[in-house]
């Protein structure tokens, strides 16, 4: 990046908003996906206002410099990884909750608000923001919107997109698009708002969101069931879904995860269980009790032993904490390649059995944790950084799991996104027609390709569109060592 770009950035921003120290900038180069390709940004900018975001985008557009929007950097697909010579635009200082409107059950927030802070802020109003990624105590609403994040209670309530009413987005020309509404219903024009949900920062910078809220759920009843085989646990999930039950949470963790968490936190988990299934009902009182009793019965029929249920809220919270700790606990065992396949819920048993077969065939350890009720699993390959042969086998296992997911009628990503990690796989999943439509939308909104190049899908041919296409910049950086 030239000095002229930095000087132009500084001209419209406070001194502390533009960081160029190479060590500091390098600390924003990656998210939490350990082996996703990443480039090296030249500057990090931390705006506080929409006008500052507009200034950054206009400077970037004027100089044809890439801009990578970034929240907390908790992503698991390399979506906010740096781009060589680019600007990483970190939205965490725009973290105000602008409005909580109990009468209309909505909140208006800036993108840097942390998910758990929003949940805590609306709770005294008797309200609830359901999408709850396991990273909810540090990931941001902007990141959640841009990955269309899911979470633990999405099995009942839906994912982030189901709670978005309106967005403000800074477009590639620096103008602010206001799209969406504050009403429950509304069909005026194309649904432009949804284009930006899950776009992984490739179409614009979200600077404000209007989010729908729900009434606060009732205190939960919790179940934990231990299974001797993954197949039995998969059968139980299929039975619960098939019976028409809608628990507010239905999560799974296998023995590798159980032992990793228990080694770390000593939570007295059942280390002998092959798989633990966790379920909750937040329907309240007798209804919740009845719902969980029915889930318990279906688990027993599928072979679970023991099956434990509790209406004690604190005990339920601790069991959920164990589930939320699964990924960080696996990271203590080595480098991790975290997959994110989602399959039809009737195919969960096949996915679990197939993943176990892949682990045996390639002689790698794979821990499985996931949102069983959504059919969204995170088979996580553990890798010894010092063992090159194991690294190669781990990558092969990662790909084999994606292949398996697609063959079961699933998708390569249920919630983490494509990022730099699965660009080739997106093309394979959606096919050439969908890819052409993706590119047309990108070209219409970001003709010079300044936003998050190299993410989600590969660049346009050099002669396409109107401007200088920057989209191949990030992929050029190649994979990082594990
Ligand atoms: C331990 C752990 C558990 C996790 N559990 C879950 C889970 O249960 N469910 C789940 O869905 N994810 C989960 N994740 C992944 C991650 O937390 C989510 O993808 C989250 O939504 C990312 O938010 P972030 O603020 O960290 O965004 P970042 O990682 O910084 O960015 C993510 C994407 O959003 C874009 N972006 C960020 N802000 C903006 C903006 N204002 N405008 C435009 N684009 C923007 C970035 O360019 C990037 O493409 C987990 C991660 C970890 C480490």
């Amino acid at each position: 990046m030239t000095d002229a770009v930095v000087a132009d950035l500084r001209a419209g921003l406070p001194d502390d908003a533009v960081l160029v120290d190479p060590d500091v900038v390098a600390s924003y180069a990656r998210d939490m996906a350990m082996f996703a390709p990443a480039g090296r940004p030249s500057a990090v900018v931390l705006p506080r206002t929409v006008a500052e975001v507009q200034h950054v985008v206009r400077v970037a557009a004027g100089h044809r410099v890439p801009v990578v929007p970034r929240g907390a950097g908790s992503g698991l697909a390399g979506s906010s990884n740096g781009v060589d010579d680019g600007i990483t635009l970190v939205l965490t200082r725009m973290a105000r909750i602008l409005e909580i409107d109990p009468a209309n059950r909505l909140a208006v927030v800036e993108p840097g608000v942390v998910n758990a802070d929003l949940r805590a802020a609306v709770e005294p109003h008797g309200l609830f923001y359901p999408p709850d990624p396991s990273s909810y105590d540090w990931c941001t609403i902007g990141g959640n919107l841009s990955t269309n994040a899911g979470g633990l209670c999405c099995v009942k309530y839906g994912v982030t997109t189901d709670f978005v009413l309106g967005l403000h987005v800074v477009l590639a020309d620096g103008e602010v698009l206001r799209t969406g509404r504050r009403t429950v219903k509304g069909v005026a024009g194309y649904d432009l708002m949804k284009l930006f949900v899950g776009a992984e920062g490739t179409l614009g910078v979200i600077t404000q969101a209007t989010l729908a809220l729900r009434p606060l759920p009732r205190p939960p009843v919790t179940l934990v069931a231990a299974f001797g085989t993954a197949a039995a646990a998969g059968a139980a999930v299929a039975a619960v879904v098939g019976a028409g039950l809608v628990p507010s949470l239905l999560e799974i963790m296998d023995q590798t995860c159980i032992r990793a968490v228990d080694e770390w936190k000593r939570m007295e988990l059942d280390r002998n269980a092959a798989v633990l299934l966790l379920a909750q009902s937040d329907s309240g009182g007798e209804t919740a009790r009845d719902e969980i009793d029915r889930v318990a019965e279906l688990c027993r029929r599928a072979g679970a032993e023991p099956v434990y249920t509790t209406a004690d809220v604190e005990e339920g919270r601790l069991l959920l904490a164990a589930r939320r700790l699964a990924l960080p606990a696996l990271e203590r065992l080595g480098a991790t390649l975290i997959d994110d396949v989602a399959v039809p819920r009737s195919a969960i048993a096949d996915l679990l059995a197939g993943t176990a077969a892949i682990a045996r065939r390639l002689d790698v350890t794979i821990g499985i944790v996931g949102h069983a009720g959504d059919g969204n699993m995170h088979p996580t390959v553990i890798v010894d950084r010092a063992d090159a042969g194991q690294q190669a086998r781990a990558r092969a296992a990662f790909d084999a799991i994606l292949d398996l997911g697609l063959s079961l009628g699933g998708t390569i990503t249920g919630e983490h996104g494509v990022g730099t990690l699965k660009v080739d796989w997106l093309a394979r999943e959606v096919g050439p027609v969908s890819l052409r439509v993706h590119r047309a939308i990108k070209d219409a909104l970001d003709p010079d390709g300044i936003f998050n190049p190299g993410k989600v899908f590969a660049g346009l041919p050099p002669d396409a569109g109107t401007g200088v296409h920057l989209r191949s910049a990030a992929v050029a950086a190649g994979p990082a060592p594990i």
Side-chain angles (χ1 to χ4, degrees), residues 69 71-76 79 134-135 140 143-144 146-147 149-150 200-201 206 415 452:
S74 72
L76 288 169
S79 319
S134 290
S135 52
T140 67
N144 295 170
S146 303
T147 54
E200 300 183 39
I206 297 169
E415 57 184 19
N452 219 358

Side-chain angles (χ1 to χ4, degrees), residues 7-13 50-60 174:
D8 284 354
L9 285 172
R10 290 216 153 112
L13 293 161
V50 181
E52 289 177 7
V53 174
Q54 289 177 285
H55 173 73
V56 175
V57 170
R58 286 187 172 126
V59 170

Side-chain angles (χ1 to χ4, degrees), residues 127-308:
L127 294 169
F128 174 47
Y129 178 65
D132 61 340
S134 290
S135 52
Y136 71 161
D137 52 0
W138 63 295
C139 66
T140 67
I141 294 296
N144 295 170
L145 288 162
S146 303
T147 54
N148 194 7
L152 273 61
C153 64
C154 296
V155 59
K156 175 169 178 179
Y157 293 98
V159 296
T160 302
T161 191
D162 300 309
F163 295 88
V164 193
L165 293 174
L167 293 179
H168 291 189
V169 183
V170 174
L171 299 175
D173 60 4
E175 293 290 321
V176 178
L177 168 71
R178 293 175 178 79
T179 174
R181 55 202 153 79
R182 289 172 67 101
T183 51
V184 174
K185 296 171 73 178
V187 294
Y190 291 165
D191 194 347
L192 301 181
M193 181 181 74
K194 296 274 169 146
L195 272 181
F196 298 90
V197 179
E200 300 183 39
T202 59
L203 298 179
V205 184
I206 297 169
T207 53
Q208 187 175 302
T210 303
L211 302 170
L213 305 171
R214 293 281 166 85
L216 203 56
R218 311 274 298 277
V221 178
T222 306
L223 165 147
V224 56
F227 292 85
T229 66
V237 172
V240 170
V241 174
L245 293 166
V246 188
S248 55
L249 178 147
L250 190 56
E251 296 282 311
I252 209 167
M253 54 198 284
D254 76 351
Q255 195 173 62
T256 305
C257 300
I258 298 164
R259 291 186 175 182
V261 172
D262 211 50
E263 273 298 318
W264 184 22
K265 297 289 180 184
R266 308 280 168 199
M267 298 176 97
E268 294 181 27
L269 301 175
D270 181 351
R271 291 186 182 210
N272 294 321
V275 172
L276 287 182
L277 195 65
L278 286 164
Q280 270 188 344
S281 168
D282 63 3
S283 302
E286 278 309 302
T287 314
R289 186 82 253 176
D290 181 53
E291 225 163 43
I292 287 299
D293 283 349
R294 291 175 66 195
V295 175
E297 180 52 30
L298 292 170
C299 287
R300 283 192 196 96
R301 270 195 231 160
E305 171 59 39
V307 179
Y308 176 74

